[in-house]
């Protein structure tokens, strides 16, 4: 419709389609934003088709037609550039696999048949034995003098901290009691609650 409305010839329409195709291929060539390089390339292509300088360029479009083509491209293709780029750019996915040098290859899991149950049991026992050996070694290490000394230091430090905390709490409680007693006008060191004075009654004659 745009070409017919502006009276473009068949050669001009063919060149215009080729320009848009080249722009689109450049746009979707990378997933990164490249609207500015694509627009610069668009201007170069229009210049090559609007100036008569063989063999580098050919005067296929007039100056007025170049203005119309530029306005049309900006209002259509470049206005929706991100949409076209998102829809037509191939998605890049990375499948990463690591191989460590010097480590044995992990065997693929296989189903254990009925005939292999005995072998599996022996393997389980063989696996349990190293675990027991490791536990015994850990217990032996715990019984060493260095471990005992470390435990004693830790217990002493914890006991000291607990004692300090208890003393601090007792002092805070005592200070609070003294403050309350002062407000009530009684002595905080009194062994029991203050006795209220007995009311003096009048003796009958």
């Amino acid at each position: 419709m745009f070409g017919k409305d502006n009276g473009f010839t068949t050669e001009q329409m063919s060149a215009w389609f080729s320009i848009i195709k080249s722009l689109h291929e450049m746009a979707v060539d990378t997933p990164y934003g490249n609207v500015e390089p694509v627009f610069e390339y668009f201007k170069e292509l229009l210049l090559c088709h609007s100036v008569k300088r063989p063999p580098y360029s050919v005067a296929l479009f007039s100056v007025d037609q170049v203005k119309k083509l530029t306005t049309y491209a900006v209002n259509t293709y470049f206005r929706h550039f991100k949409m076209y780029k998102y829809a037509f750019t191939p998605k890049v996915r990375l499948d990463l696999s690591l191989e460590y040098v010097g480590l044995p290859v992990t065997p693929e899991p296989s189903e254990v048949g009925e005939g292999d149950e005995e072998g599996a049991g022996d393997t389980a026992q063989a696996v349990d034995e190293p675990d027991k050996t490791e536990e015994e070694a850990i217990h032996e290490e715990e019984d060493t003098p260095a471990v005992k000394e470390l435990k004693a230091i830790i217990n002493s430090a914890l006991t000291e901290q607990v004692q300090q905390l208890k003393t601090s709490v007792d002092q805070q409680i005592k200070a609070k009691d003294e403050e309350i007693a002062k407000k009530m006008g009684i002595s905080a060191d009194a062994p029991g609650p203050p006795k209220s004075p007995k009311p003096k009654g009048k003796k009958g004659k």
Side-chain angles (χ1 to χ4, degrees), residues 35-55:
V35 60
E36 294 181 0
V38 172
F39 188 71
E40 292 295 329
Y41 183 54
F42 169 70
K43 292 191 293 185
E44 291 179 3
L45 291 178
L46 279 183
L47 182 63
C48 290
H49 291 82
S50 59
V51 178
K52 187 175 182 180
R53 195 178 61 172

Side-chain angles (χ1 to χ4, degrees), residues 100-160:
Y100 297 95
V101 179
L103 294 179
V105 180
T106 304
E108 296 182 359
S110 58
E111 297 181 358
V112 180
E114 295 180 356
D116 298 336
E117 290 181 356
E118 295 180 358
D122 296 339
T123 305
Q125 292 178 358
V127 172
D128 292 339
E129 289 178 358
D131 294 340
K132 293 180 180 179
T133 306
E134 291 178 0
E135 292 178 359
E136 292 175 357
I138 292 173
H139 288 303
E140 290 178 359
E141 290 180 358
E142 290 179 353
D143 296 333
T144 58
V147 174
K148 291 182 179 180
E149 183 179 358
L150 181 60
K151 284 184 176 181
I153 294 173
I154 294 174
N155 291 332
S156 176
L158 289 176
T159 303
E160 184 179 355

Side-chain angles (χ1 to χ4, degrees), residues 3-4 6-18 60-61 65:
K4 289 182 178 181
N6 291 276
F8 286 174
T9 63
T10 305
E11 291 80 5
Q12 290 175 337
M13 290 299 300
S14 177
W16 174 243
F17 283 133
S18 299
L60 190 61
F61 300 111
Q65 289 175 337

Side-chain angles (χ1 to χ4, degrees), residues 182-203:
K182 186 177 180 181
K183 290 181 179 179
M184 296 178 63
I186 60 176
S187 176
D189 298 331
K195 297 181 180 180
S196 58
K198 295 182 179 180
K200 296 181 180 180
K202 295 182 180 180
K203 295 181 180 180

Side-chain angles (χ1 to χ4, degrees), residues 74-86:
V74 170
N75 291 333
T76 54
Y77 186 80
F78 287 100
R79 184 179 296 274
H80 305 93
F81 183 82
K82 291 184 178 180
M83 181 187 68
Y84 292 127
K85 189 174 183 64
Y86 177 80

